Amino acid sequence: MSARSRSSARWLSVAIGMVLVIGAVTGTADAAGETYDQYSLMSSRSAGQLVDTAGAPASQWAWNPTGAGRSEIRWDTPANWNNPATGVEHFVHDGDWVYLDGYEDKGTGAYNPQRVTSEQVGDGDCAHLVSLPSHGGQQHYVRWTVPTAAYCLIADGTITTAAGVVHFRHRQIWRPATTCATRFLGTVACIEQQETWWDDNGHPMRMQIDRTQKLGRGKGPGLQIHATVGEGKPIDWTADLRYTWTW
């Protein structure tokens, strides 16, 4: 086989692999007819509050749609909610993906863009990984349609801040819709995100986050959260969504 033929064969193998993986990711998603928006509520002014195992307010979130498929979400402790928001995540919906663009500090007005240098998608075991095409450097965060098979996303890149450039790796496994028995909201249709995050923000590159969260259809994110690593330290933290509202 000539060098050109071998190159063509390798290209064809990669292309077929990508089709198979993306096909597994999409599966019968269109037939299911559900979207990430139905579970995240990112297109509406929605909010929720979580409580810890003792029933004390532990975390709070609120979506703020900003137009043209864009929306931002704030996560914070309820006790800090009246202070200027920091780390507000900006998301963009385009086609069949939701992309993460960056983080904003509402107090200072600083915006920290996040840009990927490489991205891969694979099956629910993070196997059979293939590269994803760039979307202006924005991170492929989650599929808009809810697939019927689990899939894995791995992104490497940088966050540009006033203090310098932070390098990160973000691995996510998204699992298809099922039903969740909850502490406060009964039995709810849900999807699951399991994520790990590494960065070198003021320290050598290391894992900073390892957590699983469930999003409830019509309820939003944080339906249930269990974290085993937080701020680079082993933890065992659980919280459940108790209140939801619109604003």
Side-chain angles (χ1 to χ4, degrees):
M1 183 183 290
S2 68
R4 181 176 179 180
S5 296
R6 287 195 298 271
S7 177
S8 297
R10 284 195 298 270
W11 178 89
L12 181 60
S13 177
V14 170
I16 292 173
M18 181 175 289
V19 168
L20 290 174
V21 171
I22 301 252
V25 169
T26 57
T28 56
D30 292 339
E34 292 188 317
T35 68
Y36 175 70
D37 186 46
Q38 291 174 279
Y39 289 84
S40 68
L41 306 183
M42 68 173 285
S43 297
S44 63
R45 284 190 169 189
S46 54
Q49 187 178 100
L50 291 73
V51 299
D52 61 21
T53 53
S59 185
Q60 192 162 304
W61 55 264
W63 281 107
N64 179 33
T66 56
R70 294 178 175 270
S71 192
E72 59 187 32
I73 187 171
R74 176 187 182 182
W75 284 86
D76 213 330
T77 60
N80 197 49
W81 202 260
N82 290 330
N83 295 323
T86 60
V88 177
E89 298 171 279
H90 283 245
F91 290 93
V92 179
H93 169 217
D94 185 13
D96 198 37
W97 286 97
V98 175
Y99 300 91
L100 177 56
D101 185 73
Y103 306 85
E104 182 183 5
D105 185 326
K106 296 290 186 179
T108 65
Y111 190 78
N112 302 324
Q114 175 175 307
R115 294 295 177 261
V116 296
T117 53
S118 69
E119 288 186 289
Q120 295 175 296
V121 62
D123 61 27
D125 295 318
C126 290
H128 305 102
L129 295 165
V130 296
S131 296
L132 281 166
S134 176
H135 188 268
Q138 294 172 328
Q139 180 186 348
H140 290 73
Y141 186 80
V142 64
R143 284 279 314 279
W144 183 253
T145 50
V146 177
T148 55
Y151 63 100
C152 173
L153 295 168
I154 300 176
D156 292 277
T158 60
I159 302 170
T160 303
T161 74
V165 174
V166 175
H167 298 85
F168 75 89
R169 165 167 278 209
H170 191 200
R171 190 188 82 161
Q172 303 180 88
I173 298 173
W174 287 95
R175 295 187 172 89
T178 183
T179 54
C180 294
T182 71
R183 284 174 67 190
F184 305 107
L185 304 176
T187 300
V188 179
C190 61
I191 59 174
E192 181 181 284
Q193 175 204 37
Q194 194 278 324
E195 64 175 337
T196 49
W197 173 277
W198 295 258
D199 67 40
D200 62 357
N201 188 14
H203 48 72
M205 180 70 78
R206 68 182 183 217
M207 184 189 292
Q208 292 294 100
I209 296 170
D210 186 352
R211 68 182 166 216
T212 299
Q213 78 148 326
K214 296 177 181 178
L215 298 82
R217 187 170 62 195
K219 306 298 183 183
L223 184 68
Q224 297 172 335
I225 297 179
H226 181 221
T228 56
V229 176
E231 298 182 355
K233 300 176 183 178
I235 59 174
D236 185 7
W237 185 81
T238 300
D240 297 89
L241 190 62
R242 183 163 192 176
Y243 306 110
T244 62
W245 65 94
T246 57
W247 59 279

